[in-house]
Amino acid sequence: MAPAGLDEKARRNRRWVVVSLLPVAAFFIVLTAFPVVNLLGLSFFHVEWQDGAARFDFVGMENFRRLFSQETVFWAGVRNNIVFAVVAVSGQMILGFSMALAVKTAGSYGRALLTGIFLLPIVVPPIVIGTMWRLIMGREFGLANTLLGFFGLGPVDWLGDPDLALASVIFVDIWHWTPFVFLLMLAGLESLDGEVLEAARIDTVSRWQQIRHVIMPMMLPTIAITLLFRVILSFKVFDEVYLLTSGGPGTATEVVNFSIYRTFFRQDQVGYGAAMSVVTLFSISLIIILARAFVQRRASRREAAT
Amino acid sequence: MSNVSLRGLKKSYGSVEVIPSLDLDIRSGEFVVLVGPSGSGKSTLLRMIAGLESIDAGTVSVEGEDVTQRDPGDRDMAMVFQSYALYPHMTVAENMTFALRMRGMDKTTIGERLTESVRMLSLEGLEHRKPGQLSGGQRQRVAMGRAIVRQPRVFLFDEPLSNLDAKLRARTRIELRELHEKLGATSIFVTHDQIEAMTMADRIVLLEKGRIQQVGSPREIYERPRNTFVASFIGSPEINMMEGKLWFDNGTAWFEQLVLRSRGSESASLAGVAAGGYTLGIRPEGFDIAREPLEGSVPMVVGAVEYTGSDTYAFGKSPMGDLTVKIAADFQAVAETLHTGETLHVKALADGWHLFDSSGERVTGG
């Protein structure tokens, strides 16, 4: 074909690409980019409600100055949230991976049963989860303390003790989200080459060697994606904290999302709340970018080594 | 010196019996090929020997040592898989040394064995590549190398050549055979390809529906098939099978219109065999061809001629059914002028025929 015809074809192709991407791009701008820009703008204002209307006073960097110099609750939330993310996500990854391995090696009958049981927490609505665990962990009549009572232990104030409350919330989060990790891990395990796993059975002398040297390295992409996903989601935790402890006692279970919610909606400090959101948003974005860069650098270094 | 011995081996999946009960002895240093159609249980049998498949009953022993209850990693066997099953995240060298490293062998020995195997398989220069950067043939050799470095008591091969193209497969067949001569290790090789079985095996074990049909050298299996299944499975093009009546006339054996002769004293091999209904098998090369009718020959109307380069086959109809006939090299003049619709007269060569009774078993006279 003549080059002119090729050009024409390329142009038509490009036009088609643009046209077909337009609706999604528009959606993205309206629903994601616009709110972020709006939030950024809002963080430079002090907003007062007067006579049923909002009055915007431009305050420049004042909200940020206040956040970084006077704020205590938010930063307690950040600290808690980091502990929460590290402990809860590690727990979920280890448990989810082990459960997926167990199900993969179970017979077909045990497999269906185990999968059913393991998936139960993920189908329960968060509001029910919060209420249910609040009842279980209640100080006076909770199931947990009743059970402990049989052994002459307790009662333990699971949600009211400042030293225990965060651990309790983390426990519930692990219970809630392990099935999700399990599901992704199981899908990842199912997609591994069966003959490679059999070769590993012949080449290794223990199950642990198979897991450590063959299964885990081959599962690395699945593990990385799941980890990233869970870390992001754990910084957005809200419902469990709200229903179980509302951030208390004191700031023992305060988390980032909860501080923002309270500042923004409860205390009507819209500008200040927006500043908190912006800081959180950019911090998490930065973490993701750094994590991706780290993974890619490792991958490319490995390529270079070969 | 190792030998593998299977005693009363059984396997079923639910109510489906894959291997009813099987006994087999493999001598040390022997290259045994398990061959059979798909679903014959040959792969299952190999996997049971490897320990990858559970065993319902019976024992597997190596050098007289019962390994039935041992884990696959604890049987001192190495296996080469159909898809090669290389570890995608490891380099060629890491793949090949993996089993040794997992057994905590010292670095110097590992290095020596690696160098030795890499040289033997001409994998030099590829040690630091990942499997994804190798061609099919190279991957196949790495898979072999992974087995060789272990210096196991038994080598297991699960159709390792079936993913190679025809040319490479033929070459690898020879390389594998040469490697076996060099290493002298006991090898069990599974294939569905009768050519692989015939060319590589010291002994062939022919399986169907989990039962051993015949065990023997390629020559024994080809020349004295024990039943109609073995006769049909081995040989390409397939053996001609004809149903009909065996009768005797004045000491000469006839099968319908065909005369059956033997090289020894006439019809000696049929001595004591009763006349009656039998199945006669004649391989395509077991015919004598003429343009004119001979005594004890049948006419065949040629329907198609196949020229493969070295051989010419004629396919046609005779009063005894469809026949495939190989035109012998000294008959090339006929082959060159042969055309469809022509009538040839064919006659069984002395000892070129196999007689089977109604249950499919080989019939031999006393």
Side-chain angles (χ1 to χ4, degrees):
Chain A
M1 206 188 256
L6 269 175
D7 274 2
E8 172 61 22
K9 199 170 183 180
R11 206 171 19 248
R12 279 217 306 267
N13 258 334
R14 209 174 309 131
R15 201 181 308 145
W16 171 243
V17 168
V18 170
V19 168
S20 58
L21 277 177
L22 216 56
V24 187
F27 246 75
F28 176 76
I29 289 167
V30 171
L31 296 178
T32 308
F34 174 71
V36 171
V37 172
N38 189 37
L39 192 72
L40 196 63
L42 213 52
S43 66
F44 298 120
F45 286 89
H46 183 77
V47 186
E48 289 273 0
W49 300 98
Q50 278 179 344
D51 311 321
R55 209 190 81 210
F56 291 83
D57 293 317
F58 184 76
V59 294
M61 297 300 287
E62 171 59 24
N63 285 329
F64 290 96
R65 197 198 57 77
R66 191 176 143 208
L67 181 62
F68 284 102
S69 61
Q70 293 163 19
E71 181 62 44
T72 51
V73 175
F74 177 78
W75 296 111
V78 169
R79 191 192 66 87
N80 285 343
N81 222 148
I82 290 169
V83 173
F84 180 89
V86 170
V87 179
V89 174
S90 316
Q92 286 154 7
M93 294 300 292
I94 293 165
L95 279 176
F97 188 73
S98 318
M99 281 153 65
L101 271 179
V103 167
K104 176 96 195 328
T105 36
S108 56
Y109 188 74
R111 185 190 204 116
L113 190 76
L114 285 176
T115 310
I117 294 172
F118 288 168
L119 286 187
L120 219 51
I122 216 169
V123 293
V124 179
I127 194 93
V128 177
I129 289 174
T131 315
M132 188 174 93
W133 279 100
R134 217 180 149 142
L135 288 171
I136 292 173
M137 290 178 163
R139 183 177 152 77
E140 302 303 331
F141 311 106
L143 181 67
N145 280 343
T146 312
L147 286 178
L148 276 183
F150 290 143
F151 302 100
L153 300 168
V156 178
D157 193 359
W158 300 105
L159 300 171
D161 184 335
D163 295 331
L164 268 182
L166 187 62
S168 302
V169 174
I170 287 172
F171 178 83
V172 173
D173 192 70
I174 290 177
W175 178 86
H176 185 184
W177 284 104
T178 298
F180 173 81
V181 175
F182 158 75
L183 210 60
L184 290 185
M185 292 294 165
L186 188 60
L189 283 177
E190 297 288 0
S191 70
L192 297 184
D193 185 334
E195 283 201 339
V196 174
L197 299 184
E198 286 181 343
R201 283 176 66 192
I202 292 180
D203 282 347
T204 57
V205 292
S206 72
R207 178 84 177 130
W208 171 245
Q209 284 185 345
Q210 289 164 41
I211 294 171
R212 166 72 189 79
H213 296 285
V214 178
I215 297 177
M216 291 232 292
M218 284 170 75
M219 283 285 285
L220 214 55
T222 313
I223 292 174
I225 292 284
T226 314
L227 193 68
L228 194 67
F229 213 77
R230 276 307 306 148
V231 168
I232 294 171
L233 281 180
S234 74
F235 273 99
K236 289 163 69 173
V237 65
F238 180 78
D239 39 21
E240 287 154 9
V241 175
Y242 180 73
L243 290 157
L244 286 170
T245 61
S246 300
T251 58
T253 58
E254 184 76 26
V255 287
V256 174
N257 223 8
F258 202 72
S259 310
I260 296 172
Y261 160 76
R262 198 171 37 230
T263 314
F264 210 101
F265 293 104
R266 286 285 174 80
Q267 302 168 355
D268 273 340
Q269 305 189 56
V270 176
Y272 190 41
M276 287 180 178
S277 306
V278 168
V279 168
T280 311
L281 186 70
F282 280 93
S283 310
I284 293 182
S285 307
L286 196 68
I287 292 172
I288 295 170
I289 290 166
L290 288 177
R292 280 192 54 111
F294 177 71
V295 168
Q296 263 163 11
R297 236 204 20 218
R298 268 202 63 166
S300 63
R301 194 183 306 157
R302 207 179 259 200
E303 281 304 304
T306 63
Chain B
M1 288 309 249
S2 71
N3 70 323
V4 178
S5 155
L6 313 176
R7 285 281 164 274
L9 225 51
K10 278 185 194 177
K11 177 79 187 172
S12 358
Y13 291 117
S15 59
V16 184
E17 213 173 39
V18 188
I19 292 171
S21 178
L22 188 142
D23 295 285
L24 181 65
D25 280 300
I26 294 164
R27 293 188 280 268
S28 52
E30 198 175 25
F31 198 106
V32 165
V33 174
L34 305 178
V35 66
S38 44
S40 58
K42 56 191 190 298
S43 273
T44 308
L45 183 60
L46 188 79
R47 293 163 54 81
M48 285 162 81
I49 298 170
L52 295 171
E53 205 80 58
S54 66
I55 294 171
D56 294 342
T59 58
V60 177
S61 34
V62 181
E63 289 175 354
E65 219 179 300
D66 188 346
V67 299
T68 318
Q69 299 304 324
R70 295 224 195 130
D71 281 335
D74 200 21
R75 296 189 176 201
D76 201 6
M77 298 179 181
M79 185 153 165
V80 180
F81 291 84
Q82 183 171 9
S83 68
Y84 317 139
L86 300 177
Y87 307 117
H89 57 286
M90 295 184 202
T91 62
V92 167
E94 286 168 344
N95 258 290
M96 286 171 65
T97 57
F98 181 63
L100 303 182
R101 285 185 284 128
M102 291 303 106
R103 279 159 184 75
M105 190 175 276
D106 71 278
K107 284 213 168 65
T108 355
T109 320
I110 292 180
E112 278 164 15
R113 288 211 195 166
L114 177 67
T115 321
E116 165 89 18
S117 312
V118 161
R119 196 184 45 73
M120 207 186 278
L121 294 161
S122 354
L123 285 167
E124 291 101 338
L126 300 175
E127 292 95 329
H128 300 295
R129 297 255 192 103
K130 292 269 178 71
Q133 300 163 307
L134 301 177
S135 70
Q138 290 169 335
R139 280 181 218 182
Q140 204 275 341
R141 290 216 297 280
V142 176
M144 300 269 304
R146 195 167 65 177
I148 290 170
V149 291
R150 287 189 57 183
Q151 305 182 351
R153 288 197 289 198
V154 184
F155 280 105
L156 307 173
F157 299 92
D158 190 6
E159 308 210 18
L161 306 184
S162 57
N163 284 348
L164 300 176
D165 64 63
K167 235 182 179 163
L168 199 52
R169 195 181 314 157
R171 208 171 67 207
T172 313
R173 230 159 48 202
I174 297 166
E175 284 176 4
L176 233 156
R177 199 50 236 203
E178 285 172 352
L179 211 59
H180 176 74
E181 300 300 337
K182 231 181 282 174
L183 299 171
T186 311
S187 306
I188 307 173
F189 188 104
V190 161
T191 182
H192 62 268
D193 182 351
Q194 48 134 336
I195 309 257
E196 272 173 33
M198 293 294 284
T199 52
M200 296 175 71
D202 290 326
R203 273 198 308 162
I204 292 177
V205 176
L206 216 156
L207 283 164
E208 208 230 355
K209 295 189 177 117
R211 284 175 209 280
I212 294 178
Q213 301 297 318
Q214 187 167 355
V215 181
S217 71
R219 189 170 288 276
E220 274 164 20
I221 293 224
Y222 190 78
E223 289 177 1
R224 289 186 68 79
R226 218 165 65 187
N227 57 38
T228 49
F229 177 80
V230 176
S232 305
F233 189 82
I234 299 287
S236 174
E238 213 175 284
I239 194 167
N240 297 290
M241 288 290 186
M242 293 155 271
E243 310 263 322
K245 282 213 156 30
L246 177 75
W247 52 284
F248 295 94
D249 175 40
N250 209 4
T252 306
W254 290 78
F255 190 83
E256 300 286 328
Q257 297 116 281
L258 280 172
V259 66
L260 303 182
R261 294 192 194 284
S262 301
R263 276 208 196 90
S265 58
E266 250 177 44
S267 74
S269 74
L270 288 177
V273 174
Y278 289 94
T279 303
L280 183 73
I282 303 180
R283 297 205 184 271
E285 69 272 23
F287 288 104
D288 203 0
I289 308 152
R291 282 230 147 97
E292 305 302 324
L294 305 162
E295 197 207 8
S297 74
V298 288
M300 177 182 102
V301 182
V302 176
V305 180
E306 210 175 65
Y307 173 71
T308 65
S310 55
D311 299 312
T312 305
Y313 294 94
F315 301 86
K317 286 192 189 315
S318 79
M320 296 178 68
D322 289 349
L323 290 182
T324 307
V325 175
K326 180 180 167 183
I327 311 224
D330 54 357
F331 226 71
Q332 278 306 316
V334 174
E336 278 161 25
T337 57
L338 196 64
H339 54 84
T340 53
E342 197 177 331
T343 303
L344 286 177
H345 295 271
V346 299
K347 180 179 168 188
L349 285 175
D351 288 333
W353 45 270
H354 309 275
L355 196 64
F356 303 98
D357 64 18
S358 55
S359 64
E361 294 300 309
R362 182 184 190 88
V363 175
T364 41

